[in-house]
Amino acid sequence: INNISYQLHAASPKDGAGHAQPTFVNVTQDIDGTVDKIKAFIESYNNVVSKLTDTLNEKREKGYQPLTDAQREQLSEKQQEQWEAKAKSGLLKGDATLSNVLYQMRNAMYDTVQAVDNPKYKHLSALGIKVNMYDHNDPKLYIDEDKLRTALQDDPDAVMQLFTNRSDNPKEQGLAVRLKD
């Protein structure tokens, strides 16, 4: 039930009147596990946006055209690989489609999620997850783990909604759902 596994080993003991004694189940939050999952999600996001940013800003090596068959014969395999890497460098520098993908990813993460029940947690910054506002070339997210833990202790359901809420309205979709779409 709710991703919790129950393993029952025996019937409850009976009291003197033959009635079963109550059995209690205590469930606690795994805040460490949740923090680890959110950190992994943010790390994956950061890896993707870093790769996109690097690709969009990659310097073009001028003067390196694709090799002809005659040129290939004169170069070793390693030299061919090096030449081709330089010939391919910067091909997507400033690419409009790739720029748009990065822009959409950033907006998906920075916009508020209107469907979060607790208005305090409608934005990543409320969880201590922020972008470096002073560096426009650094789209990565940074985590204040103490603030994230506080949010998880305060309202774990709102944190879950922020990431996973499903809706036909894009403004109400959770951040992970937006990125997936």
Side-chain angles (χ1 to χ4, degrees), residues 34-162:
T34 304
V35 167
D36 289 344
K37 287 178 183 176
I38 291 173
K39 285 170 58 176
F41 173 78
I42 297 301
E43 184 178 329
S44 294
Y45 171 86
N46 284 344
N47 288 338
V48 171
V49 296
S50 290
K51 180 73 173 163
L52 290 174
T53 302
D54 291 348
T55 301
L56 285 166
N57 295 324
E58 184 179 32
K59 181 183 172 198
R60 176 85 175 126
E61 295 282 345
K62 296 182 180 179
Y64 288 91
Q65 298 299 317
L67 291 170
T68 64
D69 290 337
Q71 291 171 320
R72 282 186 188 285
E73 291 175 9
Q74 296 173 359
L75 299 174
S76 71
E77 193 172 311
K78 183 172 178 133
Q79 288 173 321
Q80 289 176 35
E81 288 175 15
Q82 291 172 336
W83 184 281
E84 288 175 357
K86 288 184 179 184
K88 292 177 183 178
S89 67
L91 288 177
L92 294 174
K93 181 178 178 76
D95 182 77
T97 301
L98 205 54
S99 292
N100 189 39
V101 168
L102 181 60
Y103 174 80
Q104 287 181 6
M105 284 181 67
R106 292 180 75 178
N107 277 346
M109 292 298 283
Y110 302 149
D111 282 349
T112 59
V113 177
Q114 298 300 321
V116 175
D117 293 335
N118 185 340
K120 182 177 176 181
Y121 296 113
K122 290 183 180 275
H123 194 271
L124 271 181
S125 62
L127 306 183
I129 302 172
K130 297 181 182 179
V131 67
N132 182 356
M133 298 304 284
Y134 302 107
D135 187 353
H136 298 289
N137 293 320
D138 181 12
K140 292 186 284 188
L141 297 172
Y142 296 91
I143 301 174
D144 176 341
E145 199 170 314
D146 292 334
K147 195 168 182 181
L148 175 58
R149 286 179 183 282
T150 300
L152 286 166
Q153 290 168 347
D154 181 42
D155 194 342
D157 291 333
V159 175
M160 183 178 75
Q161 285 177 325
L162 181 67

Side-chain angles (χ1 to χ4, degrees), residues 1-50:
I1 301 171
N2 295 329
N3 293 322
I4 299 172
S5 296
Y6 298 93
Q7 195 171 45
L8 307 176
H9 296 281
S12 297
K14 300 198 186 276
D15 63 15
H19 298 97
Q21 295 288 322
T23 300
F24 298 96
V25 176
N26 294 320
V27 179
T28 59
Q29 281 182 287
D30 181 9
I31 290 181
D32 290 336
T34 304
V35 167
D36 289 344
K37 287 178 183 176
I38 291 173
K39 285 170 58 176
F41 173 78
I42 297 301
E43 184 178 329
S44 294
Y45 171 86
N46 284 344
N47 288 338
V48 171
V49 296
S50 290

